[in-house]
Amino acid sequence: MTKDLTPKYTVPGIEREAAGRLIGLLGLRLHALNDLHLTLKHVHWNVVGPHFIAVHEMIDPQVDRVREMADDVAERIAALGGVAYGTPGALVAGRTWDDYSIGRADAIAHLGALDLVYTGVNEAVRAAIKEAGDIDAATEDLLIEQLRDLEQFQWFVRAHLESAGGTLATDRARTEEEAAAKGAELG
């Protein structure tokens, strides 16, 4: 059973029912960003090996930007007349993906798993952009801006996983564990 997210009021120019669809869409994006923030910090704390410092220091700016993205999404939800559910319980109940599965591991192994995480996040943002674009250009623009940064972060991750010939170590990996193993082979 889904909750009716239709607000009592919304921004001028958007029907309340359409705002409710945007609120639902953005609520899932908020969960994804909060989850990504926590996953990135987990990697930051649990990365080891010869590439430790490079990855450790690469992750913190991503964490900071992802937190800003979550704040922007939450504020857009509020502007549309909705409630931004940012509690841990709401995140766990609302997410449609499994928890990050890699613990203490080599830096490149974590980057292999993160490549799959970013793929899932970025594909979901692209789908949200398409849906939001049919309703509201301002929400679509917010998501497009975030996608540019998220794709750049994935590029940073993939730079550690790519050979000079352009082969990506995590190509065809289906699980975080498989991607981590393929990444670890590079390390």
Side-chain angles (χ1 to χ4, degrees):
M1 182 168 121
T2 53
K3 202 184 309 187
D4 181 12
L5 300 174
T6 304
K8 294 182 193 256
Y9 68 90
T10 192
V11 297
I14 297 178
E15 297 293 324
R16 290 177 39 244
E17 292 75 19
R21 289 197 313 275
L22 287 172
I23 290 164
L25 177 80
L26 290 171
L28 194 53
R29 293 299 84 234
L30 180 60
H31 294 331
L33 290 167
N34 282 333
D35 186 84
L36 180 57
H37 159 259
L38 293 170
T39 298
L40 289 167
K41 278 314 271 188
H42 171 83
V43 170
H44 174 84
W45 294 323
N46 290 290
V47 65
V48 297
H51 302 285
F52 161 79
I53 198 65
V55 172
H56 186 79
E57 290 182 353
M58 178 182 75
I59 296 294
D60 263 345
Q62 293 181 27
V63 169
D64 293 343
R65 178 63 184 117
V66 169
R67 288 301 314 139
E68 290 172 9
M69 289 178 194
D71 192 52
D72 290 344
V73 167
E75 289 175 357
R76 184 67 184 152
I77 290 169
L80 290 165
V83 176
Y85 294 99
T87 64
L91 165 60
V92 171
R95 72 180 182 189
T96 58
W97 55 90
D98 292 331
D99 203 14
Y100 186 75
S101 59
I102 310 301
R104 183 177 174 89
D106 177 83
I108 305 303
H110 269 298
L111 293 179
L114 271 180
D115 181 37
L116 257 58
V117 170
Y118 272 121
T119 294
V121 169
N122 292 345
E123 286 174 347
V125 174
R126 282 191 176 280
I129 288 168
K130 196 173 212 177
E131 189 174 342
D134 293 337
I135 302 169
D136 176 45
T139 302
E140 178 187 38
D141 183 59
L142 171 73
L143 295 171
I144 289 170
E145 175 190 350
Q146 292 182 352
L147 181 62
R148 278 193 297 270
D149 288 344
L150 291 166
E151 286 180 342
Q152 183 181 46
F153 297 158
Q154 187 173 25
W155 171 52
F156 292 169
V157 165
R158 285 183 164 182
H160 293 269
L161 303 169
E162 184 180 1
S163 73
T167 302
L168 190 61
T170 53
D171 187 39
R172 297 194 179 123
R174 294 180 181 208
T175 67
E176 290 169 3
E177 293 87 359
E178 187 179 331
K182 287 182 173 207
E185 290 173 9
L186 292 177

